Amino acid sequence: MAEAAPEVQKGPVDSPGALKDNHVDEATALAVVEPTQEELDAQTWKRFDEAIEVLREARLVNRADLPNQSLVEALERLCSPCCGEVCIQVTNLGGAPVLQHWTKVRGTVGDLRQELSQLTNVPLQDLGLVHVAEDCLLEPDSKKVLSYGMFNGQTVQVAMLISGLPVPDHAWDFRGAIGDVKDEHSSLIARLREGAHCTTEGVQLDGEKMYVEIDPWEWEGPVTFEVKVKYSSYAHQAAVFTLGKKQQDGRASDLLTIMSYTMFVVRTSLLNFTRVITEDNGMINLHSWFHMVATCQNGSLSLYINGEEVGHVPEGTFVANQLRLAMLGRSLNEANYLEGHIAYFRIWHGVALKPEMVKLLYSRS
C-alpha cells in the first residue's frame, strides 16, 4: 500500500502558514547566531597573535624586513600602560600625596617619563621606573622619597621613584673641604681632631690619633649608614664610624659601629649586642675604595659592601632614643684608630634602605 501524501496546508501564499514564512524563520535564525562582540574581539586577538608568530618565525630565518618607525610606534601605543584621562599622583613612600596632576595619556612609558620630568624638573636619568602590584603596601619612611603613581580608581598601575633615593637626614662630604665640615641638612658640624685634614680624596687619618668628632644629636628607630672608605693599613677592630653613649666607667652602650673592616655591631647595653660580619671574615684590599652601607631596623641587621649584601642577621633590635656621640676613624673610648681616608658619611633615620636602593647608592658612589 502506498504511503499517504503529506498534507499540504491550504491558503494564500502570504498567509502565516505559507512557505514564505519558512524563509523568514531561517533569516531570523541566522541573525541569532552572529558572533558577539566578545567573540569578535577574540578573533581579532587570534589574528594578531598569528601575525606576530609569523613575523617571529620569518625573523628567525632572516626573511622579515626591519619594522619601520611607524609600526614600532603603533606597537608602543598598543602597549601603553593606560589611555585616556588619568590622575598622575606624586607621593612619598609613606603614601602621603605631594602633588596631583590630571592629564590625557596616550603614549608609552617613555612618554610618561618625559611628562614627569617636565612636571617635576627632575632629569630623565634620575627617574627610576618601578612596577608595583595592586596589593603593594608602601612602607613608611622619613617622607622624603617621592614616587610616581598612575591611579585607575584605587589601583596603582605604574610607580616611579624621583632620583631613586631618599634624601639623607645627615651628610658630610670631606672631599676637597677646608677645615671642619657642616652637615648638608642640619647644623651639625664634623670637627677635625688631632691634625686630621681633608684632601681631594676625603679626610685623611693616620691610625694613631687623628679622628673626626661630630656634634651629638638625639635619635631612635630604624637607621641606614653609608660611608666610602679607603684603608692604608690593617689594624684589628679599626673603627670606620661609631655612634653611641659613653658610660661613666668609659665603656660604651647604645652603640652602632662598623669596625674590624667589615663588621657591623649594634650594642643596646653593656652585655647585649648583635654583630654582622662577612663570610670572608672581613678581608679588605688596602689602598682601594670600599662603599659600605649598614642598616638596622626591628628584626634585622644588614651589611653591604660595594652594593652587595655580605651579611645579614635577623635578630636585630630596636634602637632606643638616646643622645649619641659620633666619631669617624676611632671608637668612643679613644682607641681603634683607622689609617686611611673617608670620602663621605651619610645617615638616613627612620628607614632601612632596600637592596635596590643600596645598589643605586653604590653605582653613584
Side-chain angles (χ1 to χ4, degrees), residues 168-293:
D169 291 278
H170 305 288
W172 296 271
D173 193 333
F174 301 99
R175 292 168 294 188
I178 300 175
D180 297 338
V181 177
K182 184 180 180 297
D183 181 6
E184 296 176 7
H185 306 290
S186 76
S187 60
L188 299 177
I189 304 295
R191 305 179 188 279
L192 310 184
R193 303 299 194 194
E194 300 294 335
H197 57 280
C198 295
T199 69
T200 55
E201 293 188 312
V203 59
Q204 184 172 342
L205 306 169
D206 64 356
E208 297 180 0
K209 62 178 183 178
M210 297 179 184
Y211 67 99
V212 177
E213 181 179 7
I214 301 175
D215 296 341
W217 72 100
E218 191 172 306
W219 57 276
E220 65 178 336
V223 64
T224 297
F225 302 101
E226 179 196 15
V227 63
K228 187 175 181 181
V229 60
K230 179 169 66 174
Y231 298 92
S232 298
S233 66
Y234 177 85
H236 182 59
Q237 295 189 349
V240 180
F241 67 79
T242 305
L243 293 91
K245 182 178 179 180
K246 194 171 183 179
Q247 303 292 333
Q248 292 183 351
D249 60 5
R251 292 186 295 178
S253 65
D254 295 288
L255 183 74
L256 298 97
T257 181
I258 284 185
M259 59 193 309
S260 291
Y261 290 74
T262 55
M263 181 170 65
F264 179 40
V265 178
V266 175
R267 176 184 292 169
T268 56
S269 69
L270 296 178
L271 299 178
N272 183 21
F273 73 94
T274 305
R275 69 178 183 177
V276 179
I277 189 167
T278 61
E279 294 180 357
D280 61 3
N281 201 30
M283 295 302 295
I284 290 292
N285 295 326
L286 300 181
H287 308 295
S288 297
W289 284 107
F290 288 89
H291 179 264
M292 298 181 180
V293 172

Side-chain angles (χ1 to χ4, degrees), residues 8-23:
V8 177
Q9 186 175 357
K10 299 178 179 180
V13 294
D14 57 348
S15 66
L19 293 177
K20 180 180 178 181
D21 287 342
N22 291 337
H23 177 72

Side-chain angles (χ1 to χ4, degrees), residues 78-97:
L78 182 65
C79 299
S80 297
C82 66
C83 301
E85 190 176 52
V86 297
C87 176
I88 297 176
Q89 182 164 343
V90 180
T91 69
N92 57 52
L93 285 188

Side-chain angles (χ1 to χ4, degrees), residues 20-231:
K20 180 180 178 181
D21 287 342
N22 291 337
H23 177 72
V24 172
D25 291 342
E26 290 174 2
T28 302
L30 288 175
V32 171
V33 298
E34 285 184 356
T36 64
Q37 186 61 45
E38 183 177 350
E39 291 172 332
L40 290 174
D41 292 343
Q43 293 173 10
T44 301
W45 278 115
K46 182 179 179 181
R47 293 197 304 272
F48 179 80
D49 292 339
E50 290 173 347
I52 292 296
E53 186 60 31
V54 169
L55 179 61
R56 183 180 291 111
E57 291 177 356
R59 179 188 175 194
L60 290 176
V61 294
N62 295 323
R63 294 181 58 189
D65 294 333
L66 182 69
N68 59 38
Q69 187 62 32
S70 61
L71 176 59
V72 173
E73 291 176 355
L75 289 174
E76 286 182 341
R77 285 194 298 272
L78 182 65
C79 299
S80 297
C82 66
C83 301
E85 190 176 52
V86 297
C87 176
I88 297 176
Q89 182 164 343
V90 180
T91 69
N92 57 52
L93 285 188
V98 175
L99 178 149
Q100 283 190 342
H101 173 66
W102 284 93
T103 184
K104 290 186 180 295
V105 176
R106 179 64 181 177
T108 66
V109 171
D111 297 329
L112 298 178
R113 288 167 58 86
Q114 288 279 3
E115 184 165 356
L116 179 64
S117 177
Q118 296 171 4
L119 185 66
T120 59
N121 294 320
V122 176
L124 274 177
Q125 62 269 23
D126 288 340
L127 295 179
L129 178 63
V130 180
H131 291 278
V132 296
E134 293 183 16
D135 58 353
C136 177
L137 297 178
L138 299 178
E139 297 183 359
D141 63 1
S142 59
K143 298 186 177 180
K144 292 180 179 176
V145 181
L146 298 179
S147 60
Y148 174 79
M150 297 191 58
F151 289 79
N152 181 5
Q154 297 299 317
T155 301
V156 180
Q157 295 178 321
V158 177
M160 289 184 182
L161 298 179
I162 294 180
S163 297
L165 293 166
V167 177
D169 291 278
H170 305 288
W172 296 271
D173 193 333
F174 301 99
R175 292 168 294 188
I178 300 175
D180 297 338
V181 177
K182 184 180 180 297
D183 181 6
E184 296 176 7
H185 306 290
S186 76
S187 60
L188 299 177
I189 304 295
R191 305 179 188 279
L192 310 184
R193 303 299 194 194
E194 300 294 335
H197 57 280
C198 295
T199 69
T200 55
E201 293 188 312
V203 59
Q204 184 172 342
L205 306 169
D206 64 356
E208 297 180 0
K209 62 178 183 178
M210 297 179 184
Y211 67 99
V212 177
E213 181 179 7
I214 301 175
D215 296 341
W217 72 100
E218 191 172 306
W219 57 276
E220 65 178 336
V223 64
T224 297
F225 302 101
E226 179 196 15
V227 63
K228 187 175 181 181
V229 60
K230 179 169 66 174
Y231 298 92

